């Protein structure tokens, strides 16, 4: 089986990550809840992961690095926890439903939401976006990479185009682990992280990092092991946003993923770029195939195959060739609308994939195209 | 090291659970997001876990069994997702902050919250509770076992005492896996499950099961892999309440925990009862020790040691005797207030503990008591 669905979830975890998860389950206590040695040891490891993650992304403080169950929860905290009726925000048609659905919910409660279009290159039109941003715009919410095509905005340019006062909230689901992100350098106010894709963590891991200009209210309420006599959530972070027992094994996996990335960031990036370019070139040479992606460091290649429905093509590739990739809308409906597509086939490679697998996909697509 | 902090998190996982988690990380796709073989196989396993959990608790349908990151998220969905301004609810002073803090939040938004007291046995006074329940009371929210003392209400009697129309929402954090719970038999409308305690799953696992009388709104919004063109959350369950990538390894661990429990439920229960009784008897024979727990199937034994602060005692037991247990408030402030305590030492045993370990704890407490 060839796994090219790494943008849905990373199909391969480094041995170091797997071992760390195993160890975290083997010697397991509830971090931050009890004062005994094992609990404190677990808490110290959680903090080490928090520090590693914050430093990796140039975050604004270890307390402003909170662990979530996935990138969606992180985005919900940043959006539902920080926006209120009367706020004006601008987002884009390239967003995933993890942004669009919270914004739809908020728009019914008095938040004014505008969406920037794509430009003629099918990239997010950051100039059109900037024009939509009024001086009193509270926040721009933008993905750092389209999960459909891998198109990615120039965040430094975007930041320069919008008012300093406007918060910049970024969906890092696809981008984290693949490109160099530094929140302080890029003046990003919130970064939502998926742990289980480019970060090499396991499912159940995610994080929200945020600046001192953003002070999200909780979306979940519960025990924190701190200020237990206070029936309100503590005012301080990270406790304010981390209710209930933390997912220790997943957090450990994310911390270990950061370590792994630190040692192989450039090597992995080069490999992904090489495989992506090879795949794009190969697909462009197949008659009937339209490629919707340009070279990108996320390993995402979206394409269509004649008039074949994308889900049918993906199913054929799975059943007849044992190649796993994803058809359909990829939870990004407005992106497809903007592309004029009703679904695309998306291959997403990672650094654990190899040229031979790309060749096999090209052979398979060729066969389907010539039927 | 002796681990007696199983009410904070189960310190021992069955080999079958550990192996299943390992396998779930090894062969990993995003369930419900793609149509390829591996994704479908993962989705089928998620559904097998859903079925197992629903059947284990006599739930109201596989669609009404949703996975959460912990018991706290499950309680938040049941409370924030189902209660609105003007609703009257009754809860108890024995609740954990995972119930008290959401209720405090709701009480500021127009939900009328009353709390039932303890009776002279330090049990939840279900008769006083029932008297507080008016005919128009929307819901009773009650723990199935105090996480401080292990006291547990007679749910069948409680159900008979309150109006049929009143929803019964139960916090199963401590009780699940230890006692026989059947939602349909006991007319429970919502059961919040912690996966990582009595259920033998890993941290990051939890669930909410709910009846057809309860239709919670989401607390988190995002992609579901379904109805992707709909910018609102789907109306149907479980999708409506499961945004973003599911925590596949944790869910698998919970499903495997259910299997493990099914094969050893009575054996484990007998062992826990035996160890709990032995511990209570032993502690009662130590001068200066006051025991706050009666025999209970959750393995919880709370006690105080003369005038020694509970955290200090727990720290001494950890440092000098390598025994892990928890001092303090256990995130249940009103329970301590009702007990007249400002913190208790809590030992919590599980079926993986043994008599020798109980003896060691008794020796250690004896030494501290005679200082």
């Amino acid at each position: 089986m060839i796994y090219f669905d790494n943008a849905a979830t990373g199909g391969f975890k480094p041995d170091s990550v797997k071992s760390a998860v195993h160890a975290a389950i083997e010697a397991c206590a509830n971090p931050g809840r009890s004062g005994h040695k094992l609990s404190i040891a677990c808490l110290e490891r959680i903090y080490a992961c928090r520090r590693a993650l914050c430093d990796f992304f140039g975050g604004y403080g270890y307390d402003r690095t909170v662990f979530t169950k996935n990138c969606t929860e992180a985005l919900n905290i940043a959006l539902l926890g920080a926006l209120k009726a009367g706020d004006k925000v601008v987002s884009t048609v390239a967003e995933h439903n993890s942004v669009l659905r919270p914004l739809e919910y908020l728009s019914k409660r008095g938040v004014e939401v505008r969406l920037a279009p794509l430009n003629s290159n099918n990239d997010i039109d950051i100039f059109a976006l900037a024009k939509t941003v009024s001086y009193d715009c509270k926040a721009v919410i933008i993905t750092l990479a389209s999960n459909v095509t891998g198109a990615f905005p120039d965040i430094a340019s975007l930041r320069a185009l919008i008012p300093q006062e406007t918060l910049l909230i970024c969906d890092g689901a696809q981008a984290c682990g693949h490109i160099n992100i530094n929140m302080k350098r890029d003046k990003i106010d919130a970064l939502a992280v998926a742990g289980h894709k480019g970060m090499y963590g396991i499912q159940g891991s995610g994080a929200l990092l945020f600046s001192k200009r953003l002070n999200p209210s909780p979306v979940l309420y519960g025990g924190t092991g701190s200020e237990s006599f206070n029936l309100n959530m503590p005012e301080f972070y990270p406790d304010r946003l981390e209710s209930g027992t933390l997912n220790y094994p997943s957090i450990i996996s994310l911390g270990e993923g950061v370590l792994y990335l630190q040692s192989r960031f450039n090597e992995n990036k080069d490999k992904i770029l090489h495989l992506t370019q090879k795949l794009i070139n190969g697909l462009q040479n197949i008659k009937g195939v339209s490629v919707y992606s340009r070279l990108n460091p996320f390993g995402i290649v979206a394409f269509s195959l004649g008039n074949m429905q994308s889900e049918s093509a993906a199913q054929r590739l799975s059943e007849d060739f044992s190649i796993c990739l994803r058809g359909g809308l990829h939870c990004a409906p407005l992106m497809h609308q903007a592309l004029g597509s009703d679904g695309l086939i998306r291959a997403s490679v990672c650094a654990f994939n190899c040229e031979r697998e790309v060749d096999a996909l090209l052979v398979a697509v060729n066969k389907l195209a010539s039927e």
Side-chain angles (χ1 to χ4, degrees), chain A:
Chain A
M1 183 172 279
I2 295 172
Y3 187 84
F4 279 148
D5 198 17
N6 294 287
T9 201
F12 307 87
K13 308 301 174 194
D15 287 341
S16 59
V17 168
K18 290 187 276 194
S19 301
V21 170
H22 185 69
I25 295 171
E26 201 61 47
C28 142
N30 200 327
R33 291 304 187 269
S34 308
H36 57 73
K37 286 189 266 190
L38 193 55
S39 173
I40 288 173
C42 292
L43 186 64
E44 282 169 354
R45 296 190 67 191
I46 296 269
Y47 267 87
C49 296
R50 221 185 275 283
R51 281 195 297 273
L53 201 65
C54 180
D55 293 345
F56 186 73
F57 288 120
Y60 296 86
Y62 308 146
D63 57 329
R64 287 175 178 264
T65 302
V66 301
F67 293 111
T68 60
K69 70 172 180 174
N70 51 28
C71 194
T72 299
E73 187 190 1
L75 288 162
N76 273 260
I77 295 172
L79 300 177
L80 306 190
L83 301 177
K84 56 180 195 310
D87 285 341
K88 296 176 183 177
V89 302
V90 176
S91 189
T92 87
V93 296
E95 304 309 311
H96 187 275
N97 274 337
S98 56
V99 166
L100 296 175
R101 283 178 171 171
L103 288 182
E104 176 71 13
Y105 171 84
L106 287 167
S107 75
K108 289 180 185 154
R109 278 145 193 88
V111 174
E112 188 188 299
V113 180
R114 292 181 185 202
L115 298 180
L118 302 185
N119 62 23
S120 57
N121 280 333
N122 287 338
D123 288 328
I124 295 167
D125 189 334
I126 60 169
F127 301 101
L129 189 158
K131 278 189 198 152
T132 319
V133 175
S134 54
Y135 72 97
D136 60 347
C137 175
K138 176 86 179 278
V140 166
I141 304 116
I142 188 168
T143 184
L144 294 177
S146 160
N147 73 312
V148 177
T149 63
F152 56 111
D154 178 344
I155 282 295
S157 300
L158 172 66
R159 181 75 260 188
L161 289 168
I162 61 174
Q164 284 237 356
E165 296 70 31
T166 301
L167 299 170
L168 182 57
I169 298 175
C170 294
D171 174 4
Q174 293 302 333
C176 289
H178 292 297
I179 54 172
N180 183 300
I181 300 170
N182 187 300
M183 294 180 72
K184 285 205 285 269
R185 178 195 67 201
D186 303 334
K187 300 195 179 69
I188 294 172
D189 289 286
L191 177 67
V193 180
H196 63 104
K197 298 178 181 180
M199 299 299 295
Y200 293 107
I202 64 171
Q203 287 158 348
S205 61
L208 179 70
L209 291 81
F210 52 101
S211 76
K212 289 178 183 162
R213 311 201 303 170
L214 193 78
N215 293 297
S217 298
V219 296
L220 299 172
Y221 299 78
T224 52
S226 56
E227 292 190 358
S228 292
F229 263 122
N230 184 356
L231 295 188
N232 297 296
M233 293 299 289
E235 289 292 326
F236 57 89
Y237 301 112
D239 295 36
R240 186 163 177 73
L241 301 175
E242 289 181 349
S243 289
T245 295
L246 287 171
N247 190 339
Y248 181 60
S250 286
I251 291 170
I252 291 297
S253 80
L254 184 48
E256 204 66 36
V258 170
L259 277 184
Y260 180 81
L261 270 168
Q262 282 170 327
S263 68
R264 285 159 212 247
F265 190 82
N266 290 328
E267 182 185 331
N268 282 359
K269 190 176 171 183
D270 290 347
K271 175 113 184 256
I272 291 171
L273 282 170
H274 174 71
L275 295 177
T276 306
Q277 187 66 71
K278 182 180 165 74
L279 183 52
I280 290 174
N281 292 348
L283 287 170
Q284 280 172 336
N285 287 331
I286 300 173
K287 206 180 155 184
V289 168
S290 301
V291 179
Y292 285 73
S293 298
R294 290 195 305 285
L295 180 62
N296 65 77
F298 318 107
I300 295 176
V301 182
F303 62 100
S304 66
L305 188 48
N307 292 323
M308 202 172 191
Q309 218 218 349
S310 64
E311 282 103 337
S312 309
Q315 200 177 344
R316 286 289 307 279
L317 288 166
S318 171
E319 284 176 9
D320 298 352
F321 303 94
S322 281
I323 298 174
C324 299
L325 37 65
R326 184 169 173 190
L329 296 173
H330 319 93
C331 295
L334 305 186
M335 182 64 175
H336 282 278
Q337 216 165 55
L339 294 170
S341 106
D342 61 352
L344 290 171
I345 313 161
R346 181 190 70 186
S348 45
V349 307
C350 77
F352 285 99
N353 289 123
C354 63
E355 291 203 28
R356 197 180 41 77
E357 293 175 322
V358 172
D359 288 331
L361 174 57
L362 292 171
V363 167
V365 173
N366 230 321
K367 280 197 186 148
L368 289 187
S370 61
E371 272 181 2

